[in-house]
Amino acid sequence: MEYQAPQDLLANKTILVTGAGSGIGKEIALTYAKHGARVILLGRTVAKLEAVYDEIEALGAPQPAIIPMDLKGATEQHYQDMAETIAGQFGHLDGLVHNAGALGVLGPFHQIGQDMWDEVMQVNVKSQFLMTKHLLPVLKEATAASIIFTSSSVGRQGRAYWGVYAISKFATEGMMQTLASELDGSHVRANCINPGATHTPMRSKAYPAEDADLLKRPADIMPTYLYLMGADSLAVNGQSLNAQ
Ligand code: NDP
């Protein structure tokens, strides 16, 4: 996407990014901070979140916050507590980026184990549902709020051997559409981004033999993330955009 974001696009905005410690999520956090946002960094590996925190502080951007959370084990109570903490500390939330994701194990359909099914569906679908459910009241407190879900091309067209990951991304598209339809006409919007092939640890796991130098970097796909989070997309709701 060709989009040139003004430097102060996200000034005075508070935005939560999941999976903010590495890959695309780390780049989203840094990019939003560079455009003026206070970023809440959520992830399971505290050392990675702290490294991103330090990078943001070094930029002189608004002071970020860290929420350590393993989406695999989190219960509804954790999301409720988290929403109360955010409401108490910041009053409202302007943006939520569901970026964290689990690839699981790729392979034939008949080999998908129940445990792998549960793990990938928990991290990629149920956690997004519970987090959104409990953060909606805090998002509604903002003047305008944007929820971004992360899709994939295998979440729009099924592909052999992508099993539960692909199925979970179809569910993500469905969750976004259902929510967006309900939010239509309100000041909260929900959309999906399909990042497209991007050089990250997950991509290397899925395609170990490819030449990663030929791929887009997370920084290359940030215009779409900026567009959907900022005021230029206020009228966009229920869409699934390609970042490449
Ligand atoms: P990475 O593996 O680089 O990053 C995934 C992030 O999710 C990491 O920060 C990871 O934390 C976090 N995460 C994973 N499991 C959990 C968990 N149980 N609890 C909390 N955090 C967790 O992947 P990408 O950056 O490539 O992926 C980001 C999103 O983009 C995903 O939703 C992915 O499905 C999607 N996507 C990526 C594409 C690509 O080509 N890269 C293409 C299409 C979609 P930690 O580092 O601590 O493990």
Side-chain angles (χ1 to χ4, degrees):
M1 169 181 251
E2 298 289 323
Y3 174 67
Q4 198 76 37
Q7 203 53 46
D8 63 349
L9 180 80
L10 303 175
N12 304 314
K13 304 277 183 211
T14 302
I15 301 164
L16 192 158
V17 180
T18 74
S22 73
I24 296 168
K26 174 181 176 179
E27 193 62 43
I28 298 168
L30 289 168
T31 302
Y32 284 177
K34 282 179 197 161
H35 286 80
R38 175 192 299 282
V39 186
I40 304 173
L41 311 164
L42 187 148
R44 66 177 162 183
T45 311
V46 175
K48 291 185 186 175
L49 299 176
E50 285 175 345
V52 178
Y53 183 105
D54 290 345
E55 271 193 60
I56 291 176
E57 278 223 310
L59 289 170
Q63 191 182 25
I66 288 180
I67 299 182
M69 185 184 274
D70 185 344
L71 302 173
K72 189 172 144 190
T75 64
E76 182 153 20
Q77 188 64 49
H78 287 110
Y79 295 106
Q80 205 169 320
D81 294 346
M82 180 183 88
E84 280 170 20
T85 304
I86 291 173
Q89 215 165 327
F90 305 110
H92 70 272
L93 193 61
D94 302 280
L96 168 60
V97 185
H98 290 296
N99 161 80
L103 182 66
V105 176
L106 305 186
F109 198 90
H110 72 275
Q111 284 181 8
I112 301 171
Q114 208 179 141
D115 289 349
M116 184 51 61
W117 172 277
D118 287 345
E119 180 179 331
V120 173
M121 291 304 265
Q122 169 81 29
V123 174
N124 293 5
V125 184
K126 191 173 173 187
S127 75
Q128 300 183 1
F129 152 62
L130 288 172
M131 194 180 295
T132 307
K133 172 181 166 181
H134 288 286
L135 286 177
L136 265 179
V138 202
L139 288 155
K140 286 179 176 169
E141 289 297 320
T143 321
S146 174
I147 304 170
I148 298 174
F149 291 87
T150 309
S151 179
S152 166
S153 49
V154 297
R156 295 175 181 163
Q157 175 67 52
R159 194 181 302 160
Y161 310 120
W162 280 76
V164 62
Y165 176 81
I167 296 165
S168 76
K169 292 297 186 180
F170 269 91
T172 300
E173 293 268 358
M175 179 157 42
M176 179 280 289
Q177 287 182 22
T178 305
L179 176 66
S181 173
E182 196 173 311
L183 293 170
D184 215 29
S186 80
H187 60 291
V188 183
R189 60 202 192 277
N191 297 283
C192 269
I193 293 178
N194 167 22
T198 309
H199 182 28
T200 67
M202 184 188 284
R203 178 76 192 183
S204 304
K205 192 178 155 198
Y207 294 90
E210 78 182 348
D211 182 355
D213 288 341
L214 301 177
L215 295 173
K216 296 282 185 197
R217 306 268 147 180
D220 298 327
I221 61 170
M222 286 304 115
T224 313
Y225 287 87
L226 284 165
Y227 171 69
L228 275 188
M229 191 48 71
D232 291 314
S233 64
L234 282 180
V236 181
N237 184 43
Q239 302 298 309
S240 194
L241 304 187
N242 291 319
Q244 295 186 35

